[in-house]
């Protein structure tokens, strides 16, 4: 609250309502000198106690009373005015003019309140009448807050507003004007919103038209490019796949085209297999969005749009849109028939021979650039392992995983110039990976040699690797791993544990074993981590679980029922095979993840 005193201009609206100067000063200071809020405060906080004290100790000036009576006011009204205005004649006269005397008697409920003021009965009734008038004024002010001028510097405006408050006609007029202004503002707001909405719709329509024109231009450019690639032949298209998208994508695209042709050759009498829906997700990903993918299908005899059988050309107006969401229909170039094959029951022999020749040609081109020895050698490794006294799928599985990591490093290290860092091209012959993973599966060493690795001074290194070949090798190894991932000992033990023990026990046991293996990997020299207490282990999992002993054995622990411990097995040289521990831990988490989501 500020400490300065209000000016006369700020006090005038409150004084004109019969509020004393001291009470008006307090109201203005309490409401930060805002006139309307100060009026509300003064009317809701009447100066009753002050009046009681003042009337008890102050005597009205009888001369002022007689002067006011001489001006036509009643004695009670004059005394009431002098009491409210501190015996000030000028303010009392203004108050009497602004607040004419009300002739109606006060209701009984108001008489109790007047008993608090110690004065004559006549003065009490007059005071109650003034309070009644002040409350009526307060209601009017509360209803007209939006039109009362808050500028304290405009004294004339404040007088006009204060006088207009007491007139019902002026209040109705101001309410009507306020309602009209509100309606006008709402109308203007709706017009503005309508205009903005029309502008937005216009912009969206322009953007859609522009997008449609751009799409037509792109389709036209794509059609022209596909026609140029088709003219250059199959070899040029497939080599473009290898150069622009790599061996992996080239194999995917050519493989999809080959599968389409194989389906047609398998069902030569079914016309439905001769159409390719270009809007299909797989076709879009591996053919339509690949530069030359549609051209490769057209080289096989597929066409889009209407075919002019007289000259063997297609309607370009339809082919543009068909590349996005239409069909490609088989219409071999070698066919001399005057009608589309789809209208006949069975493809002719010449059409079938053409498709077989085309399939063989594209398969040979891709195989020449992307074929690896991995599928053949991994098959031999599995057959040789079955002949051993103790066959182990785990050896082949872990060896394939390490080979994939090794080849992936070669691919990741390839920079923009095609050079590969020497650190990613070498493998130490004395490492656990080579000693325990690759030597246990001799075919892995054959794979290294086929990929260009040579042993030089205790390291296996590859010089000038062909990155496309390594990409194909990683894909082949991933396929081999997928074949045997559900046959590993850890996966089988995890499956038995989950099926034999419903509830949260398997999850807690697997989480605990994974944490134990992680501590061994982080600190392999700490021997206390190599031994597990079965009582503690099973207490965490809620008791002994069926299949838990087999799980510990598959993870490389030796279970001793006498001491109730499980000790980690070491290699023949007495060391911990950290690589094997890490591989088994990863296999445990992978197996749990697959079984938990299946």
């Amino acid at each position: 609250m500020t400490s300065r005193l209000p000016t006369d201009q700020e006090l005038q609206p409150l004084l004109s309502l019969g509020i004393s100067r001291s009470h008006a000063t307090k109201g203005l200071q309490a409401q930060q000198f805002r006139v309307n809020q100060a009026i509300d405060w003064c009317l809701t906080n009447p100066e009753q106690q002050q009046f009681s004290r003042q009337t008890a100790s102050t005597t009205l000036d009888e001369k002022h009373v007689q002067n006011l009576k001489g001006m036509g006011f009643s004695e009670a009204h004059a005394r009431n005015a002098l009491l409210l205005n501190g015996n000030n004649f000028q303010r009392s006269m203004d108050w009497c003019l602004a607040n004419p005397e009300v002739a109606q008697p006060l209701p009984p409920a108001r008489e109790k309140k007047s008993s608090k003021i110690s004065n004559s009965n006549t003065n009490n009734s007059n005071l109650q009448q003034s309070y009644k008038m002040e409350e009526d004024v307060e209601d009017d002010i509360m209803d007209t807050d939006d039109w009362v001028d808050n500028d304290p510097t405009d004294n004339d405006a404040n007088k006009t507003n204060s006088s207009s408050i007491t007139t019902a006609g002026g209040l109705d007029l101001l309410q009507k004007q306020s309602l009209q202004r509100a309606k006008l503002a709402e109308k203007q707001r709706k017009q503005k919103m309508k205009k903005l909405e029309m502008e937005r719709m216009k912009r969206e329509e322009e953007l859609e038209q522009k997008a449609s024109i751009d799409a037509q231009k792109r389709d036209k450019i794509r059609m022209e490019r596909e026609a140029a690639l088709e003219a250059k032949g199959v070899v040029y298209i497939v080599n473009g796949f290898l150069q622009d998208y790599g061996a992996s994508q080239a194999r995917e695209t050519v493989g999809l085209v080959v599968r389409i042709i194989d389906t047609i050759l398998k069902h030569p009498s079914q016309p439905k297999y001769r159409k390719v829906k270009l809007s299909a997700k797989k076709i879009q990903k591996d053919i339509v969005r690949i530069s030359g993918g549609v051209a490769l299908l057209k080289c096989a005899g597929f066409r889009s749009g209407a075919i002019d059988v007289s000259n063997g050309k297609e309607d370009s107006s339809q082919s543009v849109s068909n590349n996005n969401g239409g069909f490609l229909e088989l219409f071999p170039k070698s066919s001399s028939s005057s009608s589309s094959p789809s209208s006949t029951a069975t493809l002719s022999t010449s059409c079938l021979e053409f498709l077989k020749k085309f399939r063989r040609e594209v398969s040979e081109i891709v195989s020449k650039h992307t074929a690896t020895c991995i599928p053949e050698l991994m098959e031999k490794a599995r057959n040789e392992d079955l002949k051993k006294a103790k066959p182990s799928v785990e050896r082949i599985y872990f060896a394939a995983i390490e080979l994939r990591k090794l080849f992936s490093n070669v691919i990741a290290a390839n920079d923009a110039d095609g050079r590969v860092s020497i650190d990613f091209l070498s493998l130490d012959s004395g490492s656990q990976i080579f000693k325990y993973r690759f030597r246990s599966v001799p075919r892995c060493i054959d794979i290294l040699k086929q990929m260009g690795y040579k042993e030089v001074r205790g390291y296996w290194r590859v010089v000038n690797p062909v990155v496309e070949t390594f990409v194909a090798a990683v894909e082949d190894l991933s396929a081999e791993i997928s074949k045997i991932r559900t046959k590993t000992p850890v996966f089988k033990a995890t499956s038995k544990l989950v099926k034999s023990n419903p509830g949260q026990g398997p999850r807690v046991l697997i989480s605990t074993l994974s944490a134990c293996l992680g501590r061994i990997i982080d600190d392999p020299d700490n021997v206390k981590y190599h031994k597990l207490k079965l009582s503690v282990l099973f207490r965490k999992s809620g008791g002994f679980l069926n299949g838990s002993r087999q799980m510990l054995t598959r993870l490389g622990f030796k279970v001793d029922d006498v001491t109730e411990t499980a000790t980690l097995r070491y290699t023949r040289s007495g060391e911990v095979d950290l690589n094997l521990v890490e591989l088994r831990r990863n296999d445990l988490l992978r197996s749990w993840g697959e079984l938990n989501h299946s």
Side-chain angles (χ1 to χ4, degrees), residues 569-583:
R569 291 190 179 94
Y570 299 150
T571 62
R572 293 181 179 179
S573 58
E575 62 179 351
V576 178
D577 190 351
L578 290 179
N579 178 253
L580 181 62
V581 174
E582 184 176 2
L583 288 171

Side-chain angles (χ1 to χ4, degrees), residues 286-297:
D286 292 330
I287 293 182
V288 176
R289 296 176 184 174
I290 303 299
S291 178
V294 177
L296 185 63
L297 281 175

Side-chain angles (χ1 to χ4, degrees), residues 285-440:
K285 177 179 178 293
D286 292 330
I287 293 182
V288 176
R289 296 176 184 174
I290 303 299
S291 178
V294 177
L296 185 63
L297 281 175
K298 290 183 177 181
C299 289
F302 288 87
R303 290 291 180 270
S304 59
I307 303 297
D308 186 358
V309 297
S310 61
N311 54 15
K313 295 182 180 180
E314 58 182 335
D315 186 0
S316 60
S317 63
Q318 297 186 21
S319 62
V320 173
S321 61
N322 284 342
N323 278 352
N324 288 329
F327 291 88
L328 285 179
E329 186 177 0
L330 180 63
F331 194 90
K333 294 181 179 180
S334 60
S335 176
S336 59
S337 173
S338 60
S339 61
S340 174
S342 61
S343 62
T344 61
T346 307
L347 290 174
S348 63
T349 305
S350 59
C351 291
L352 297 176
E353 291 295 331
F354 173 78
L355 292 175
K356 291 178 181 179
K357 180 180 178 181
F358 178 83
R359 179 192 183 284
R360 184 168 55 253
E361 183 180 0
V362 295
S363 299
E364 289 176 356
I365 296 172
V366 174
S367 299
K368 181 179 178 181
H369 292 85
T370 63
T372 65
C373 59
I374 291 175
E376 180 183 357
L377 292 178
M378 291 300 292
E379 182 66 25
K380 291 181 178 179
R382 286 195 296 269
N383 294 334
E384 292 173 356
D385 185 71
L386 293 174
K387 297 178 181 179
K388 293 182 178 179
K390 294 182 179 180
S392 175
V393 180
E394 187 180 59
R395 283 197 297 264
I396 301 174
Y397 178 74
F398 290 156
I401 288 178
E402 292 299 332
L403 279 175
R404 186 174 64 177
K405 288 182 183 178
L406 182 64
F407 296 160
S408 296
N409 289 336
V410 176
I411 299 170
N414 184 35
D415 60 14
D417 298 330
R419 297 189 299 270
V420 181
S421 175
I422 190 66
D423 296 335
F424 293 92
L425 304 180
S426 304
L427 177 64
D428 189 359
S429 301
S431 63
Q432 291 185 345
I433 296 175
F434 188 83
K435 287 192 303 182
Y436 301 128
R437 304 288 88 76
F438 293 164
R439 279 184 179 172
S440 61

Side-chain angles (χ1 to χ4, degrees), residues 420-473:
V420 181
S421 175
I422 190 66
D423 296 335
F424 293 92
L425 304 180
S426 304
L427 177 64
D428 189 359
S429 301
S431 63
Q432 291 185 345
I433 296 175
F434 188 83
K435 287 192 303 182
Y436 301 128
R437 304 288 88 76
F438 293 164
R439 279 184 179 172
S440 61
V441 184
R443 293 299 178 182
C444 289
I445 299 177
D446 295 339
I447 292 174
L448 290 175
K449 292 178 179 179
Q450 291 289 337
M451 297 299 294
Y453 281 85
K454 295 181 180 180
E455 187 176 10
V456 179
R457 297 179 182 179
Y459 287 90
W460 285 82
R461 292 175 178 171
V462 59
V463 181
N464 298 326
V466 180
V467 178
E468 290 78 6
T469 305
F470 278 83
V471 172

Side-chain angles (χ1 to χ4, degrees), residues 378 382 396-405 474-488 590:
M378 291 300 292
R382 286 195 296 269
I396 301 174
Y397 178 74
F398 290 156
I401 288 178
E402 292 299 332
L403 279 175
R404 186 174 64 177
K405 288 182 183 178
V474 169
E475 293 181 356
D476 290 338
L477 285 170
S478 298
E480 295 296 328
I481 291 171
S482 299
K483 292 179 182 178
I484 58 177
R485 62 186 177 83
T486 59
K487 301 177 182 179
T488 61
R590 177 194 63 82

Side-chain angles (χ1 to χ4, degrees), residues 495-512:
S495 178
K496 181 179 178 181
L497 183 70
V498 171
K499 293 179 181 178
S500 303
N501 303 277
Q504 297 297 320
R507 182 186 64 81
V508 176
L509 179 61
I510 290 173
S511 177
T512 305

